[in-house]
């Protein structure tokens, strides 16, 4: 979840809390936002490590290892897209909420 998206969500949540109260209901939301940021940082670090490993002379010497590394990088990318979809879906639900 990037900073702009998080800003939109937090503004809407703040409006909901100001209008309806119940800030304790958004505790899990806050934890999940933090988890999302940690997941995205982890995916970036993991992708960088895997791509660095791909350039290693040890990997190039093994017959199918570069193919496996490409598969892992594609899996990381697919998981990142899944997180993006889930985040966008959650943002639209919160923005469209008429509480």
């Amino acid at each position: 979840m990037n900073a702009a998206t998080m800003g939109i969500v937090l503004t809407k949540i703040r409006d909901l809390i100001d209008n309806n109260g119940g800030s304790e209901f958004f505790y899990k939301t806050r934890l999940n936002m933090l988890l999302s940021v940690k997941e995205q940082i982890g995916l970036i670090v993991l992708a960088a490590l895997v791509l660095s490993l791909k350039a290693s002379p040890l990997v190039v010497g093994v017959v199918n290892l570069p193919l496996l590394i490409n598969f892992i990088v594609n899996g990381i990318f697919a998981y990142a897209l899944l997180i993006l979809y889930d985040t966008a879906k959650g943002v639209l639900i919160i923005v469209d909420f008429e509480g």
Side-chain angles (χ1 to χ4, degrees), residues 73-89:
V73 170
N74 285 330
I76 293 169
F77 179 70
Y79 184 62
L81 286 176
L82 183 65
I83 291 173
L84 176 65
Y85 172 76
D86 189 45
T87 301
K89 188 172 66 171

Side-chain angles (χ1 to χ4, degrees), residues 11-78:
T11 300
K12 186 65 174 183
I13 288 173
R14 175 54 53 197
D15 290 343
L16 290 172
I17 291 171
D18 290 344
N19 293 336
N20 304 319
S23 63
E24 65 276 0
F25 296 119
F26 293 103
Y27 178 73
K28 286 185 179 180
T29 303
R30 182 182 178 279
L31 291 178
N32 283 324
M33 287 177 144
L34 186 59
L35 176 64
S36 175
V37 170
K38 289 179 182 178
E39 276 181 324
Q40 290 180 16
I41 291 170
L43 288 173
I44 291 169
V45 169
L46 183 61
L49 289 173
V50 171
L51 288 172
S52 296
L53 181 67
K54 183 179 177 184
S56 169
L58 296 173
V59 171
V60 175
V62 179
V63 177
N64 288 324
L65 203 50
L67 183 63
L68 176 64
I69 290 176
N70 285 337
F71 182 75
I72 292 170
V73 170
N74 285 330
I76 293 169
F77 179 70

